[in-house]
Structure formats: structure tokens, C-alpha cells
Amino acid sequence: MAAPAQPKKIVAPTVSQINAEFVTQLACKYWAPHIKKKSPFDIKVIEEIYEKEIVKSRFAIRKIMLLEFSQYLENYLWMNYSPEVSSKAYLMSICCMVNEKFRENVPAWETFKKKPDHFPFFFKCILKAALAENDGEFSLHEQTVLLLFLDHCFNSLEVDLIRSQVQQLISLPMWMGLQPARLELELKKTPKLRKFWNLIKKNDEKMDPEAREQAYQERRFLSQLIQKFISVLKSVPLSEPVTMDKVHYCERFIELVIDLEALLPTRRWFNTILDDSHLLVHCYLSNLVHREEDGHLFSQLLDMLKFYTGFEINDQTGNALTENEMTTIHYDRITSLQRAAFAHFPELYDFALSNVAEVDTRESLVKFFGPLSSNTLHQVASYLCLLPTLPKNEDTTFDKEFLLELLVSRHERRISQIQQLNQMPLYPTEKIIWDENIVPTEYYSGEGCLALPKLNLQFLTLHDYLLRNFNLFRLESTYEIRQDIEDSVSRMKPWQSEYGGVVFGGWARMAQPIVAFTVVEVAKPNIGENWPTRVRADVTINLNVRDHIKDEWEGLRKHDVCFLITVRPTKPYGTKFDRRRPFIEQVGLVYVRGCEIQGMLDDKGRVIEDGPEPRPNLRGESRTFRVFLDPNQYQQDMTNTIQNGAEDVYETFNIIMRRKPKENNFKAVLETIRNLMNTDCVVPDWLHDIILGYGDPSSAHYSKMPNQIATLDFNDTFLSIEHLKASFPGHNVKVTVDDPALQIPPFRITFPVRSGKGKKRKDADEDEDTEEAKTLIVEPHVIPNRGPYPYNQPKRNTIQFTHTQIEAIRAGMQPGLTMVVGPPGTGKTDVAVQIISNIYHNFPEQRTLIVTHSNQALNQLFEKIMALDIDERHLLRLGHGEEELETEKDFSRYGRVNYVLARRIELLEEVKRLQKSLGVPGDASYTCETAGYFFLYQVMSRWEEYISKVKNKGSTLPDVMEISTFFPFHEYFANAPQPIFKGRSYEEDMEIAEGCFRHIKKIFTQLEEFRASELLRSGLDRSKYLLVKEAKIIAMTCTHAALKRHDLVKLGFKDSTQGLTLGRQVLYR
């Protein structure tokens, strides 16, 4: 566990240091862009720089960084490169510069694109150099640089120049490197490939001998590179000293192979070559794996490679394989082995006649095949096309250990990827937190290799995409956790007491010594699992601290994550803590385990639940928290204790550390990703390939969607007809009414929708088709009167959106993916709010889910939503940021429950007033149910009678005064602005009367919706009902979404088709 001394941080050189360097003086003479009179190109300059500045310093980053600062590659190396001047120093200099650009994350290929003529020759020279003998012209360190350059090339397939060269190495013809029997087996598996293979052979025959030999060299390049790597790997001794050049070469090669396996275009053909070379078997049996320090990173990279070689994907089709398909592949392998054993090896009859489940474990396979001779094992492997046929009367050249491992590793039963993930602990432990191969420190320069997955432009499957994000997010969080632990524990100053125990000489705001720790529950596993369903423990601490810090500890909420730490310091009391020296050995840190708060216990030992009720006041300073431990980690620790006699980790904890809530959501996010990976489908089909990096990204745009909507109501988006016309430049706007006085918003627009299918039109019709595609049918419509009161009038948008913003709003209302990107102040939030409002009015049955990165962004959005024409009973704000809203209204879950209950009372009072105005006896306003009966039997009957009296009969219009005379609700609307009826026209007064009835009807509609609150008695049940049934626009942060996703799914919550992310600048419907 002892960590090495911390290296120095790589810092950029200063201007004075740069000017003092020999490289800078040469740059000023030969290639610096600000120098007008430059000396002519001299190849000796490149040789001198390479030998004196790069090789002599052993490829020091500082020297190469200075060359990169001086624009050595752009202004001297590639500008003057040609086959005539190409040399080892020239090639290596270019590779070093490209690698440095990738290290600094700056574009590396722009220079080559400007002058691409000599790149094919340059690339062929690199391939030749990579295969050179170890003790030849290129040293192993130089070949490691070449490997890194090739890795960057394979990861830059999006660049046409690079792809054109790399494709010659990674394509079907590379199967020339397979042994003949294996090639025949692969072509038999996929019949269509045989046709292509025969075509390749015909084309080869037409080539001239020199071109054919060159093509053969390129096709066999990776096969030969693998053999070269195996020879280097076998030269590493078990215990004698080894040069680090060999170790770094092996690490870089495995990194290259992982990257080839993790991209479908390269994996499709390379995976078979890799399998035929048995690289993994050679690696796992190598001496380097067994060298504890030198081989640690190599072993981690090897585990990653093993994962990707067995990845659950069909290499040819690119489709993800299901668990059943993986099981079928496994059974096919075992049964083919059994058939070979039964037909040719009598000593394996017992194996051949056993059922698969009995013989597919490593122990069983070793038991059956272990006693066989090396020659027999070779013959078995050759029958399976794994090795060449063994000639008669000749002994095999392979070790028995290799042959046995080859057969066993290929046929043993494997745990599925999803099972491995489900068994993985979510919290980092001390072994991961201080492992710099996967969690680099701030001193990491980018020079070395890391055992980390990469976020490429393309991913193998959705599982691969989620898993890489899962691992990287987990390790990114671990980096922050390490900083927090080191800060808190060092502040507590753990020292060894006189009696060998622990004494704390300091204190930390975020950490407390543990007084008592007890595991109180280990629940039984679910069927088919071997880890407990839950593990709970009680942690007791003494909060003899300042009041505000005590409040922070007592304010720990459900789902907050804490860390349990064991320290056994060896330093005596009073020793100063030195931050420059390794942390672990100074404080004696032994174990770190994560836990999740369930709640604080009250005086009676019960968990205090979060809710609207005030928390009880507890006496004294002692506080006990009930926490959930990670069941997977607990199972691993207990297994280690029982099988290996290790100590019980859970009896040793002496520090509990908390973290800031805003930085502490990693466990919930990881759990959400894991739950998503256990779900069959989490992404719409039209978005699936785009996320994985395949297909045309524009295919998710609404214009390419098959279900785009022709007619949309833009509600209050446009301020006038002139605003509408300006918003669609280049379009012909046709308004359905000619009277300018009637051309007022809101507008309903019908867009031309083209399916893109059908026969091609004739040229004569093309102009007409183009004009039709640019014609918009605009229909002004009047919002129905909502009632006579001022608050009945709808709120309206006042922002005059630009035509670009209008296009974004239109896209957001249509199916498909919409991305609204722009700098601050360009109106992204206003556009999003208008989209939400328009969706709310166009699709009243659907629900919109808003997820933002921060509470601040969500609150800004919510405050703007409240200013538009959206009924507040349909708004719900989840999470802990609603108290920051600049409004007196409470949009939290319990705030909405209280609003519903208060609103119910208000509406029942209105019913009571209506009942009194109509002179109806009884108590119709007692409950929502009685109010519903009152509306049905008393209100509706009066309204229907009224309509029959005033409705238009025949050609003659009724008298306008009759509308007011027969109106049955005059007394009820006595508190509205008078007069209600203007008496100017029949249509106007009739619309007012219908508006009044809509006002009354809305009262009873809302009461019917609120009726559930009478039947549900607890606040929790009412809040769940609100979330699932009542709310139409639900807003939360991504942290809260991660925390509550499981609960929301369990409740049956489903947003219809809308999703919105602000702060990450993504919007989709």
C-alpha cells in the first residue's frame, strides 16, 4: 500500500526559458514564422535536433514541448518532407511531434491535410520501422513511440487521409495472416465472405509482382506486429532486472490492441486475427504478469483486452448479442470440442459423453485435459482449427502449459457482462482510490499509459457506451473522493497513542471519529444472486462541535453518501503532516468503504423520515445514523475473511467522512447507469445509431423523421403577422383570412411535409414542387373566452423571437432531436420555455420532463414558465432547489399537495356561492363528489335550458337582449366587472355567455381532478398521485433524476415523448 514519492508537476516553460534553449535559437534561424529571412532547409538540422535534443534526453517531454511551441512540425518537418530526404531521424521527429500534439489535445492532422502527397510513403516507412528488429536500426524505445503514433492513426479514422492508409491494414484481405484451416472455418461461417475472398484473389492475380508483394506486406502487418510483440514479451525474465523500455513497449502494444478491438470498423476483421494468434494466452502465461510492480499496469490492460475480445457483439453485423445468443455460442464451442474428443480421442470419452454444465468450468476442463500429453493437446487444438496440424512422428513445439490454457480459457464458462456489472461494488475502495494507473494524480503529464476506457467517436454497442461512461465517471468521482479523504483525514491528525491505539490531534469539519459501529441487518439474497439484498449498519458519533457544523451533520439526508475509514497511524503523537510525502504511510490508512445514509435515529432507535413535519430535537451530543452498506462489497469482504482468514473490515472503522451534497451524487448516477444497462431498450431506434457514432447525425432532425407533424399551433410565439412573415424568410405565407383586422395571433401554421418517397417528378413539375415546399398556410384563430374575470385572460409571450429561434421552436415541437447551442445571452432559455409552452398547448395529454444540470438553471427556467399561459396546477418541481425560486408559491411535491388541498377548499367555496346564487338547498359543497353531482343535475340542466332558449333558430337571429335576460348565473357573476354582456352583437354576447360557463365548468373539472386527495389520506400518497397523474410539466436537476429514477420507474411514471436538458444544451422530443 506504500505509495511512491510524488513526482514533480509538469509545467509549461516560461518565455525566458524558451528563449534560452538551443531549439529556440535554431527555430529563429530556420523556421520561426515571425522571421522573414530564413536559412534554407538543411537535413542535418533535423538529425542534430533528434540526436542531441530528443534521444539524448530520452524523449523528455520538456524538449519535445519546446519543439511543438516553435511549430517545428508545421513550418519545417512536414513542409520539407519528401522520399528523397526521408531518414530515421526525420520519421521519428514527425512521430514525436504528432504524439505531442495528441498529448496536448490539439489538432494533429491539419498540417498533413494541407500537403498530403507524401503521406502514403511516410506511412509505409512507419510500418516498416515498427517491424524492425529490436537490436537493429530502431531501439525499443523508438518503436514504442511508433506504436503510439500508430495508435493515434487507428483512432483517427474520421480523417480521410488517415483512413485511406489504415484501411489497407484493417480489412478482409488481412485474413491472409490466418492459418489455412482457420481461414476456411471463418469463410464457412459467413458464406457471403467467400465471394468477396474469391474476388480479392482474382484482383491479386492481376497485380504486378511488386505491387502484390507490397499489398501482402500491408495485409500481414498486424499479424507480424503481434509476433514481434510476443517475442519481446517472452524476453522479459521472471525475477531478474528488466529494462523499462520492454515493459513500456508491452503496455503500449496492449493499449493499441484494445483500441483496435474497441472500434467496430477495425475490430470486424482484426478480432479473428487476434484470436488466431492466441495473444491473450501468451500474455497471461508471461513472466511480466507475475512481476508485481513492473507488471501491474500490464495486467490491468490485459484484463481490459480480455473484456473486449469476448465482447457481446457480432463482429460482422455489429449487432449486440443477447445472453441467449452468447450461451448458444458457448454451447457450440463445448459440443464441437466434445465431438472432436469422441471421434478421435478414446481417453476423452468421459468428457465427450458428459453434459455441458458438468464440464464447462475451469476445474472440470483441467481435470479432463490435464493428464493428456502435449502432443495430444496439440492434436485436439488442431482439430478445432486453433493450431496447425501436427506432422506425424514430430513433437509439438508448444509448452503443455500453453496448450492446456489455450483449450481451457477458450471453453470455460464466462460470467456475462451484465452479471459482472451487477456484482461490481459502486463505492471505490483504498485499492482503487490510490491506484495511479486508473486514477491519475494532478502530476500526471499524459506521457504514460493508463488502464482507462476511451470515449471514442464510435462505440460497439449501447452497453459499451454506457459501460465506458460508467467506468470513467466512477474513476473521475474517485479522484475527487481521494482529494476529500486526504484533506479531511490529514486535518484530523491521526497519531499513534502510547498504548498503540489511535488518537486524533486535530479536527475536520467534514469528518468525525466513530464512537461505535455495528452491522444491524444482512438481508437474504434474491433468488439467483449470491450477495445480500441489503446490508444496514448503525454509526454513532459524538457531535461536540460548533452549532453550525452540528446542524450540517444532523442535516444529512436520505441517499447522502459517506465514507467509513480505518486508520492505524505509526507516527508518534505530535508528528507534523508533510503534504509533499505519500499520504497513506503518514496517516496509516488501511481501509475505505462507502455507505449511504438512510437517516438519523431518534431516541427510540427509529429512523427520522424526511417530510413536511419538523424534525425532533434530540438531547445530548451523541448521534446515531443508520446507513446502507454496499451489498456487493460486503459479500466480497466477508468471503475474503472466511476463505483467506483476513480480518473483518467492518470491525475496524474509526472515521466517518461526509462530502458536500452538490459533489456527492456519484453513487446515484452510477446506480442509474447500471439500472439502464439492465433495461432492454433505453434509447429510441432513430437515436440509437447516432449515439453509437454511426449513420447520418442529421437523420434525427425532424425534417427526416417519418412522423413529423404538418399543422402546429404556435400559440403566442408570434407577436404579429409581420413577425410571423419575418420569421420564415424565403417562404410564401398564405393567410386563410384576407381581412388584416383578423390577421392577429395566435396562429396555426400548416407546413408542407414531404415523405421523400414515390416516383421522381418530371422536370416541368420541379418548380411547382419547390414553390409548394416553401408555402405556409397560416390560420389565425381566436382563443375561446375563459370567463369575465381579469385573471381569466391568458398570459402572453412578449419576446420577438428571431427567425433562427423560431426554427429552433418549430424543431422542438416536432418529433426528433433538437440541439440548441449558443453563448450566454442568446435566448436559449427563452426558446426552451416557449417550446415547453407550445407542447403543453398542442399536446395537452402529454407530459414534459425537464432536466437541468443545476438548480440555478432550473429555477430560471421555472420562473419564466410561470410567466406564460400554463395552469400552475400542472407544474411540479422535484428536488431541493425549489426554496431558491423567487416566488411565494411552493412548487415542490409537498407544496403542490398543500396547493391542491387549499385550492380544493377555495373551489368548494365557489360551489357553495354558486349553489346559493341558484337557490338550491342542501350542502353541495361538502366534498368533490357532491359538487360533481350538483354540477350534473343543477348546473348542466340550467345551462342546457338556457341554450335552448337563446340558440340560433332558423334564419332569424334571437334578440341580443335575450342572452342577458335568460342567463341563469347573473347573481354568481355579480362580483365580476359589470356589465358582463355588452349588448352590441349576438355573437359577442354569446361568446361571453359560453366563456362564463367555461369558467364554471373549469371549477368542477378541477374538483374532479382533486377528488383523489379526498380518498388518499397520507401526504406521501397524495404526492405520488400528483406526480403520476396530475402534473404535466415536471422539472428536476440531473442529480435528483439520478437519485429518484428507480423510485419514479417503480411508481409507473412515464414522460410521454419529451425530454429536455439545459446546461448540457440538449433538447429532444
Side-chain angles (χ1 to χ4, degrees):
M1 287 291 297
Q6 290 181 348
K8 290 183 180 178
K9 193 172 183 177
I10 299 291
V11 292
T14 62
V15 174
S16 58
Q17 288 172 331
I18 291 173
N19 290 333
E21 286 283 345
F22 171 65
V23 167
T24 309
Q25 294 164 17
L26 280 176
C28 290
K29 185 177 179 182
Y30 287 98
W31 68 81
H34 61 276
I35 303 297
K36 292 181 180 178
K37 291 184 179 180
K38 300 184 181 73
S39 299
F41 172 74
D42 187 354
I43 185 66
K44 290 180 181 177
V45 172
I46 294 174
E47 302 281 348
E48 186 179 8
I49 289 175
Y50 181 68
E51 292 299 331
K52 290 185 178 178
E53 296 294 312
I54 298 178
V55 175
K56 195 174 179 181
S57 68
R58 288 194 58 79
F59 296 83
I61 286 183
R62 190 170 178 279
K63 297 287 184 184
I64 297 174
M65 193 188 294
L66 284 170
L67 286 166
E68 165 57 20
F69 281 165
S70 70
Q71 299 181 13
Y72 184 40
L73 176 67
E74 296 90 332
N75 295 339
Y76 203 68
L77 284 177
W78 191 248
M79 179 187 288
N80 298 298
Y81 181 80
S82 66
E84 293 76 31
V85 296
S86 182
S87 65
K88 171 192 166 183
Y90 215 140
L91 293 175
M92 292 304 304
S93 298
I94 293 173
C95 288
C96 288
M97 291 298 101
V98 171
N99 292 345
E100 176 61 17
K101 283 183 178 292
F102 272 96
R103 191 188 74 83
E104 295 178 10
N105 289 319
V106 295
W109 305 117
E110 300 304 316
T111 307
F112 299 92
K113 287 182 196 175
K114 291 173 185 173
K115 190 189 169 191
D117 301 343
H118 297 308
F119 189 79
F121 177 82
F122 166 75
F123 194 73
K124 286 178 176 61
C125 293
I126 295 295
L127 299 184
K128 188 177 178 182
L131 293 175
E133 293 297 324
N134 299 341
D135 52 356
E137 185 183 0
F138 289 84
S139 69
L140 208 55
H141 194 144
E142 288 172 325
Q143 289 187 331
T144 307
V145 173
L146 294 176
L147 278 184
L148 183 56
F149 175 81
L150 285 172
D151 191 22
H152 293 320
C153 289
F154 283 115
N155 280 312
S156 302
L157 293 180
E158 72 280 3
V159 180
D160 295 339
L161 179 67
I162 306 299
R163 186 171 62 251
S164 62
Q165 299 304 314
V166 167
Q167 274 179 337
Q168 299 167 22
L169 310 180
I170 298 281
S171 55
L172 178 58
M174 77 179 298
W175 278 9
M176 285 182 66
L178 295 174
Q179 50 162 314
R182 179 64 184 271
L183 174 62
E184 191 60 32
L185 180 68
E186 294 299 327
L187 293 177
K188 194 175 177 182
K189 274 188 204 170
T190 318
K192 69 174 182 179
L193 293 181
R194 187 178 294 280
K195 186 171 73 172
F196 294 126
W197 188 257
N198 293 335
L199 193 63
I200 290 165
K201 288 203 289 189
K202 282 182 183 177
N203 290 337
D204 287 351
E205 289 168 4
K206 295 175 185 176
M207 287 183 180
D208 60 78
E210 190 179 339
R212 189 187 309 134
E213 184 58 34
Q214 178 65 39
Y216 284 1
Q217 283 294 326
E218 289 173 350
R219 294 171 191 176
R220 290 197 174 100
F221 170 73
L222 285 169
S223 300
Q224 291 172 338
L225 194 63
I226 289 172
Q227 295 310 315
K228 174 181 169 60
F229 161 75
I230 290 172
S231 68
V232 173
L233 184 66
K234 286 184 175 179
S235 69
V236 176
L238 181 61
S239 53
E240 291 80 18
V242 61
T243 62
M244 290 311 292
D245 283 352
K246 284 186 178 179
V247 176
H248 293 325
Y249 179 87
C250 293
E251 290 168 353
R252 281 296 180 192
F253 182 83
I254 296 297
E255 182 189 19
L256 168 64
V257 175
I258 289 169
D259 288 345
L260 289 172
E261 285 285 284
L263 280 171
L264 189 59
T266 53
R267 174 195 179 88
R268 179 169 279 131
W269 313 112
F270 177 71
N271 195 34
T272 308
I273 291 283
L274 186 67
D275 187 55
D276 191 53
S277 70
H278 314 303
L279 178 79
L280 276 174
V281 180
H282 284 294
C283 289
Y284 276 113
L285 294 177
S286 66
N287 292 328
L288 186 54
V289 167
H290 298 101
R291 294 179 74 100
E292 192 171 335
E293 283 191 22
D294 298 338
H296 181 57
L297 174 57
F298 180 77
S299 299
Q300 291 174 319
L301 289 165
L302 205 53
D303 289 339
M304 283 182 67
L305 178 58
K306 183 181 179 182
F307 171 80
Y308 274 110
T309 52
F311 197 84
E312 297 167 357
I313 188 174
N314 184 315
D315 292 337
Q316 299 307 318
T317 64
N319 294 331
L321 297 174
T322 63
E323 199 168 337
N324 287 341
E325 288 170 329
M326 289 301 294
T327 305
T328 303
I329 292 169
H330 170 66
Y331 271 61
D332 288 345
R333 282 186 176 178
I334 286 280
T335 49
S336 62
L337 178 61
Q338 286 181 315
R339 280 196 298 271
F342 185 80
H344 305 286
F345 304 98
E347 60 266 49
L348 289 173
Y349 273 178
D350 286 347
F351 168 78
L353 297 173
S354 301
N355 64 59
V356 173
E358 193 179 334
V359 296
D360 66 351
T361 61
R362 175 168 278 270
E363 294 75 18
S364 300
L365 290 165
V366 169
K367 178 183 139 188
F368 283 111
F369 289 90
L372 301 182
S373 66
S374 298
N375 288 348
T376 308
L377 289 171
H378 187 129
Q379 287 171 347
V380 173
S382 66
Y383 275 113
L384 299 171
C385 304
L386 299 176
L387 292 174
T389 306
L390 186 65
K392 285 186 179 180
N393 303 322
E394 284 190 27
D395 290 333
T396 180
T397 55
F398 295 100
D399 295 337
K400 180 178 178 180
E401 185 184 19
F402 169 80
L403 294 166
L404 184 61
E405 180 61 25
L406 173 61
L407 289 171
V408 171
S409 62
R410 189 175 183 80
H411 296 96
E412 67 178 325
R413 186 192 313 151
R414 288 190 182 181
I415 302 174
S416 73
Q417 291 170 7
I418 202 68
Q419 282 178 304
Q420 290 177 28
L421 185 72
N422 290 337
Q423 292 174 15
M424 183 192 294
L426 293 178
Y427 302 108
T429 65
E430 70 286 347
K431 290 178 181 175
I432 294 173
I433 294 173
W434 283 276
D435 186 342
E436 293 183 16
N437 292 335
I438 53 178
V439 188
T441 65
E442 61 185 306
Y443 301 103
Y444 175 65
S445 64
E447 182 182 16
C449 188
L450 294 173
L452 292 176
K454 297 178 181 176
L455 291 179
N456 297 327
L457 286 175
Q458 293 183 331
F459 301 91
L460 295 176
T461 62
L462 194 60
H463 179 96
D464 180 37
Y465 170 76
L466 290 170
L467 186 64
R468 290 195 214 186
N469 279 279
F470 177 91
N471 286 326
L472 287 173
F473 184 77
R474 182 169 178 250
L475 297 172
E476 182 187 340
S477 305
T478 302
Y479 177 83
E480 297 166 354
I481 290 164
R482 177 171 65 197
Q483 291 179 317
D484 289 345
I485 290 176
E486 290 183 359
D487 179 65
S488 295
V489 174
S490 58
R491 287 175 185 276
M492 292 188 73
K493 298 179 183 175
W495 293 318
Q496 188 179 40
S497 68
E498 296 176 5
Y499 306 102
V502 183
V503 60
F504 295 102
W507 72 280
R509 179 175 189 161
M510 307 303 285
Q512 286 292 323
I514 292 176
V515 176
F517 181 89
T518 314
V519 176
V520 296
E521 182 190 22
V522 181
K524 291 180 179 179
N526 291 325
I527 295 172
E529 297 175 352
N530 63 351
W531 59 91
T533 49
R534 66 177 176 275
V535 181
R536 295 195 294 174
D538 285 352
V539 185
T540 303
I541 57 176
N542 192 357
L543 293 179
N544 186 17
V545 289
R546 297 172 192 166
D547 288 344
H548 68 280
I549 298 176
K550 185 177 180 181
D551 291 342
E552 288 175 6
W553 279 96
E554 289 182 344
L556 283 173
R557 288 171 163 153
K558 191 176 183 179
H559 300 302
D560 282 351
V561 171
C562 294
F563 285 88
L564 304 163
I565 302 167
T566 300
V567 290
R568 290 185 185 137
T570 55
K571 307 293 181 186
Y573 194 95
T575 306
K576 285 191 175 180
F577 184 82
D578 186 356
R579 291 186 179 275
R580 291 170 296 180
R581 293 184 55 236
F583 167 77
I584 290 180
E585 63 183 41
Q586 287 192 78
V587 300
L589 189 141
V590 185
Y591 302 119
V592 175
R593 296 291 182 269
C595 64
E596 183 180 328
I597 298 289
Q598 182 185 4
M600 193 167 62
L601 302 186
D602 60 17
D603 295 334
K604 297 178 181 177
R606 292 177 301 196
V607 174
I608 302 169
E609 297 288 349
D610 288 336
E613 298 81 15
R615 297 167 75 90
N617 290 322
L618 302 178
R619 299 174 185 172
E621 310 293 345
S622 181
R623 297 289 181 270
T624 300
F625 294 91
R626 178 74 46 84
V627 298
F628 289 109
L629 303 176
D630 190 317
N632 292 328
Q633 186 66 57
Y634 185 82
Q635 191 265 341
Q636 289 179 16
D637 289 333
M638 289 299 105
T639 302
N640 188 34
T641 300
I642 294 164
Q643 293 182 355
N644 303 326
E647 72 173 328
D648 185 350
V649 176
Y650 298 92
E651 292 182 357
T652 64
F653 298 131
N654 47 21
I655 295 175
I656 182 171
M657 186 198 82
R658 63 188 173 90
R659 299 178 70 220
K660 294 176 182 175
K662 290 184 180 178
E663 302 165 1
N664 207 21
N665 64 337
F666 77 97
K667 193 254 183 183
V669 173
L670 293 176
E671 212 161 36
T672 298
I673 297 174
R674 187 161 73 178
N675 289 340
L676 285 174
M677 293 168 76
N678 280 281
T679 309
D680 287 338
C681 179
V682 293
V683 174
D685 292 339
W686 51 266
L687 194 57
H688 185 272
D689 286 353
I690 293 169
I691 284 183
L692 298 185
Y694 304 104
D696 180 10
S698 67
S699 63
H701 191 253
Y702 74 89
S703 60
K704 306 282 181 69
M705 298 296 288
N707 58 336
Q708 60 177 300
I709 302 159
T711 303
L712 290 169
D713 183 357
F714 277 80
N715 201 31
D716 56 353
T717 307
F718 303 104
L719 305 185
S720 64
I721 190 67
E722 290 74 23
H723 179 205
L724 185 149
K725 289 176 179 177
S727 300
F728 295 101
H731 286 76
N732 180 20
V733 177
K734 286 188 178 178
V735 187
T736 55
V737 292
D738 298 327
D739 185 358
L742 297 177
Q743 294 180 358
I744 56 173
F747 298 112
R748 194 177 288 118
I749 304 178
T750 301
F751 296 93
V753 176
R754 298 182 64 188
S755 63
K757 296 179 181 179
K759 297 178 181 178
K760 292 183 179 178
R761 294 175 181 263
K762 295 179 181 177
D763 294 341
D765 294 335
E766 281 184 3
D767 293 338
E768 182 186 338
D769 183 43
T770 306
E771 191 174 336
E772 186 184 320
K774 292 191 174 183
T775 301
L776 308 180
I777 309 299
V778 177
E779 179 193 351
H781 64 98
V782 179
I783 296 175
N785 190 307
R786 297 181 182 177
Y789 298 101
Y791 63 79
N792 289 134
Q793 300 309 308
K795 302 172 189 172
R796 292 191 176 278
N797 162 53
T798 56
I799 298 168
Q800 183 157 344
F801 293 107
T802 64
H803 68 88
T804 307
Q805 291 172 325
I806 291 295
E807 174 58 24
I809 292 168
R810 176 188 172 187
M813 295 166 68
Q814 293 277 7
L817 176 71
T818 303
M819 297 185 69
V820 183
V821 184
T826 51
K828 295 187 300 296
T829 305
D830 291 321
V831 166
V833 168
Q834 194 61 41
I835 291 171
I836 293 164
S837 174
N838 288 357
I839 289 172
Y840 172 81
H841 289 286
N842 276 269
F843 312 100
E845 298 305 314
Q846 294 186 3
R847 282 132 54 89
T848 303
L849 175 63
I850 304 168
V851 182
T852 67
H853 186 59
S854 66
N855 273 311
Q856 183 184 3
L858 190 53
N859 289 339
Q860 285 176 357
L861 188 79
F862 222 69
E863 283 160 15
K864 291 187 176 185
I865 289 173
M866 287 156 53
L868 290 182
D869 183 28
I870 294 175
D871 195 323
E872 70 170 270
R873 77 179 192 276
H874 291 146
L875 297 172
L876 179 61
R877 166 79 160 83
L878 298 180
H880 299 302
E882 69 276 350
E883 57 267 17
E884 298 168 21
L885 277 169
E886 294 179 6
T887 173
E888 295 177 1
K889 295 171 182 176
D890 185 355
F891 288 93
S892 68
R893 194 187 290 197
Y894 288 108
R896 292 293 86 194
V897 170
N898 293 335
Y899 165 79
V900 166
L901 296 176
R903 184 71 179 144
R904 170 184 164 274
I905 293 170
E906 288 174 17
L907 293 176
L908 288 175
E909 283 297 321
E910 287 295 301
V911 172
K912 189 175 183 179
R913 193 165 69 81
L914 178 61
Q915 179 189 0
K916 186 178 178 183
S917 71
L918 296 176
V920 177
D923 194 358
S925 61
Y926 182 62
T927 64
C928 296
E929 185 179 8
T930 56
Y933 293 135
F934 169 69
F935 174 73
L936 188 63
Y937 295 117
Q938 301 293 338
V939 179
M940 277 302 294
S941 60
R942 284 170 169 77
W943 175 252
E944 287 168 357
E945 183 183 348
Y946 169 69
I947 288 294
S948 66
K949 289 178 182 177
V950 298
K951 72 178 180 180
N952 194 345
K953 298 173 184 176
S955 57
T956 57
L957 287 174
D959 186 5
V960 177
M961 299 309 295
E962 288 182 0
I963 297 175
S964 176
T965 306
F966 296 128
F967 189 64
F969 308 116
H970 270 298
E971 189 177 339
Y972 174 73
F973 287 109
N975 59 350
Q978 300 294 327
I980 294 175
F981 298 101
K982 312 302 180 190
R984 290 193 288 258
S985 72
Y986 173 83
E987 289 80 7
E988 182 186 8
D989 280 9
M990 198 63 210
E991 178 62 21
I992 292 170
E994 287 177 347
C996 291
F997 181 70
R998 287 189 194 103
H999 175 85
I1000 293 172
K1001 189 176 180 181
K1002 187 179 177 183
I1003 293 172
F1004 293 97
T1005 304
Q1006 289 187 45
L1007 284 171
E1008 184 59 33
E1009 291 176 6
F1010 297 160
R1011 187 176 168 190
S1013 62
E1014 294 179 344
L1015 305 174
L1016 300 169
R1017 305 311 299 172
S1018 73
L1020 183 63
D1021 288 341
R1022 287 168 175 167
S1023 68
K1024 286 178 180 178
Y1025 177 84
L1026 256 180
L1027 173 64
V1028 177
K1029 296 291 184 185
E1030 185 74 11
K1032 299 292 183 193
I1033 297 172
I1034 299 104
M1036 64 186 86
T1037 62
C1038 54
T1039 305
H1040 190 82
L1043 281 168
K1044 295 293 184 181
R1045 181 188 176 275
H1046 179 72
D1047 295 339
L1048 295 176
V1049 171
K1050 200 173 175 182
L1051 282 173
F1053 170 77
K1054 290 180 183 176
D1055 58 322
S1056 300
T1057 48
Q1058 294 85 29
L1060 174 66
T1061 305
L1062 291 172
R1064 295 295 187 199
Q1065 298 174 323
V1066 176
L1067 171 69
Y1068 74 85
R1069 271 195 78 230

